[in-house]
């Protein structure tokens, strides 16, 4: 009986150990600004919606609950296992920015704008500026 228990434990550990860690394949959320990012920086196969499928597959995009506009992730380059450089453009093509997205030790994410347009969203018909650095967490 003891041998079977040890065998089952070894099988469970080997299954967990063998799984590939892909922190940049996720849907993440910032509660303060109600912002979402959906991304897959490995396969770059995210389709925004059927209406906007003209863009085809992308590394990702982000949107907010309070604004109908979207920002498309046009390029994403993995710097290492915990950081990626991403470039976004708004759905009008009039603004863009480059940011570093970091997967933090606590399981959260930090998006830090490096260059380009300042990020703004519309809340109650007024523009709200988003800080240069924003924290995100995986949505459950």
């Amino acid at each position: 009986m003891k041998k079977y228990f040890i065998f089952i434990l070894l099988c469970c550990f080997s299954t967990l150990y063998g799984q590939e860690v892909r922190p940049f394949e996720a849907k993440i959320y910032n509660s303060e600004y109600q912002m979402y990012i959906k991304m897959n920086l490995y396969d770059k196969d995210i389709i925004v919606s059927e209406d906007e499928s003209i863009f085809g597959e992308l590394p990702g995009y982000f949107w907010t609950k309070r604004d109908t506009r979207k920002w498309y992730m046009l390029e994403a380059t993995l710097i290492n296992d915990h950081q990626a450089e991403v470039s976004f453009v708004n759905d009008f093509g009039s603004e863009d920015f480059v940011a570093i997205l970091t997967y933090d030790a606590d399981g959260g994410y930090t998006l830090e704008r490096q260059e380009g347009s300042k990020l703004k969203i519309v809340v109650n018909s007024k523009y709200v500026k988003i800080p240069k650095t924003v924290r995100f967490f995986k949505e459950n």
Side-chain angles (χ1 to χ4, degrees), residues 26-106:
K27 182 177 178 185
I28 56 178
Y29 179 69
N30 173 279
S31 59
E32 181 179 357
Y33 296 102
Q34 298 179 358
M35 294 171 48
Y36 292 90
I37 295 178
K38 185 174 182 180
M39 64 183 164
N40 182 344
L41 307 190
Y42 307 101
D43 302 322
K44 301 177 182 178
D45 60 355
I46 301 294
I47 294 182
V48 178
S49 71
E50 292 299 319
D51 296 337
E52 299 166 285
S53 62
I54 188 169
F55 296 105
E57 296 180 340
L58 297 170
Y61 67 100
F62 84 79
W63 73 99
T64 70
K65 282 188 172 183
R66 301 180 280 185
D67 191 352
T68 59
R69 299 175 306 144
K70 293 182 179 78
W71 288 76
Y72 304 112
M73 190 182 297
L74 296 181
E75 294 182 25
T77 305
L78 295 174
I79 298 169
N80 56 44
D81 290 343
H82 299 287
Q83 284 190 317
E85 182 179 81
V86 293
S87 65
F88 288 94
V89 65
N90 69 0
D91 51 3
F92 294 115
S94 60
E95 297 180 87
D96 62 352
F97 69 93
V98 175
I100 299 293
L101 182 62
T102 304
Y103 178 65
D104 301 316
D106 65 357

